[in-house]
Every structure is written in C-alpha cells, then in structure tokens.
C-alpha cells in the first residue's frame, strides 16, 4: 500500500484502534459466546493502548488501518520471547501489506531487545491469519484442544 506509515500509537488514535477490535473475534471457536468474545477483545485492546508495552498503528491517507501490540512473555522453558498480543488490519485494507508492515515493526522491536523469538496466538479456525503468519515464517508450536461436557 503506497503512502503507508507505521508509527507508534498516540492517544488521539484510541477511537480508531478500538473500532478495529471486533476484527479480533474472527476465527474464535463457534461454541464460544460471541458477546463474551467481543467484550474480551475490546478489553485486550483497551489494556494494550493504556499499558506500557509498545503499540504501533498503520496509517494510510490519514486513517488508522491497523495496529499491532507487542510485549514479552516467558515461555514455560524459562526463555523470554517477544509476544504479539494483537494484530488487526481493517477489512478494506486486508492483503495490501499493512499486516506485514506492522509485523515488521514488532520484529524489529523484539530483535532490538535481544529476543530470539516472536510468538503469537490466533484462532484455529482463522485460516487466513494462519496462512499469513506461515508466509512470514511462523510455525505452529502449541495446540489447545477442547471437548464439550454433557
């Protein structure tokens, strides 16, 4: 996407970033309560923009078309990993390089911190996101299994 700018989040971006939060509900298992899922993702995004970890926004033609939030997380082995909490791209900006540009910002941040890995999670049913991350070199590491109880 020509003229795309990726920059650190600013307080003036809050409404635009929060408006993108519902995109994080895609790929969540269909048996989960949709209202609870939406509340949770809005909470994640609000916590990210109110927190101390970095958030970057992608701006095109003066409009926020995506954001990414990064931080650190300790793996169960004790290793510190970079962690992408949320990556969101506006529906009308999907497949235009916005997600890749935002992930590049997170990759550079993690590398500058001396971290050896950047990890993230996405819904098992979110085939588009899984293919995107595979194309960026990510490999699936963990799988969560769920069984309904009668």
């Amino acid at each position: 996407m020509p003229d795309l700018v990726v920059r650190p989040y600013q307080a003036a971006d809050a409404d635009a970033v929060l408006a993108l939060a519902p995109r994080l509900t895609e790929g969540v298992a269909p048996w989960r309560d949709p209202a609870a899922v939406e509340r949770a993702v809005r909470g994640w995004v609000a916590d990210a923009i109110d927190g101390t970890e970095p958030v970057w926004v992608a701006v095109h033609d003066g409009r926020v078309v995506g954001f990414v939030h990064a931080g650190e997380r300790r793996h169960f082995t004790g290793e510190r990993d970079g962690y992408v909490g949320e990556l969101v791209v506006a529906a009308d900006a999907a497949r235009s390089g916005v997600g890749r540009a935002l992930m590049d910002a997170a990759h550079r941040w993690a590398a500058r911190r001396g971290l050896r890995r950047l990890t993230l999670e996405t819904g098992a049913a979110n085939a588009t996101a899984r293919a995107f991350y595979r194309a960026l070199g990510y490999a699936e590491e963990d799988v969560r299994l769920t069984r309904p109880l009668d």
Side-chain angles (χ1 to χ4, degrees):
M1 180 176 278
D3 302 323
L4 180 71
V5 174
V6 174
R7 62 163 171 76
Y9 167 84
Q10 301 168 0
D13 301 323
D15 289 343
V17 167
L18 288 166
L20 292 171
R23 294 268 293 154
L24 290 168
T25 64
E26 296 175 18
V28 175
W31 55 82
R32 298 295 181 183
D33 176 4
V37 170
E38 186 155 347
R39 276 192 308 277
V41 300
R42 286 184 185 282
W44 299 338
V45 173
D47 289 348
I49 63 176
D50 290 339
T52 59
E53 295 174 329
V55 175
W56 295 271
V57 295
V59 180
H60 182 257
D61 288 338
R63 179 177 150 239
V64 173
V65 293
F67 72 92
V68 65
H69 161 233
E72 283 190 35
R73 189 183 261 189
R74 195 162 293 281
H75 186 264
F76 68 79
T77 61
E79 294 174 278
R80 284 184 6 220
D81 291 333
Y83 179 74
V84 172
E86 296 82 33
L87 169 69
V88 180
V89 175
D92 63 349
R95 298 179 187 257
S96 66
V98 173
R100 183 177 292 270
L102 287 164
M103 289 300 291
D104 285 347
H107 291 164
R108 286 190 304 275
W109 172 83
R112 280 193 309 270
R113 295 181 69 81
L115 301 170
R116 296 178 357 136
R117 288 176 197 79
L118 191 59
T119 66
L120 55 88
E121 297 165 1
T122 192
N126 195 341
T128 301
R130 291 171 70 192
F132 168 73
Y133 293 124
R134 257 190 315 279
L136 292 181
Y138 286 79
E140 294 183 4
E141 181 176 9
D142 296 316
V143 176
R144 178 187 340 202
L145 303 173
T146 301
R147 177 180 177 230
L149 301 175
D150 300 326

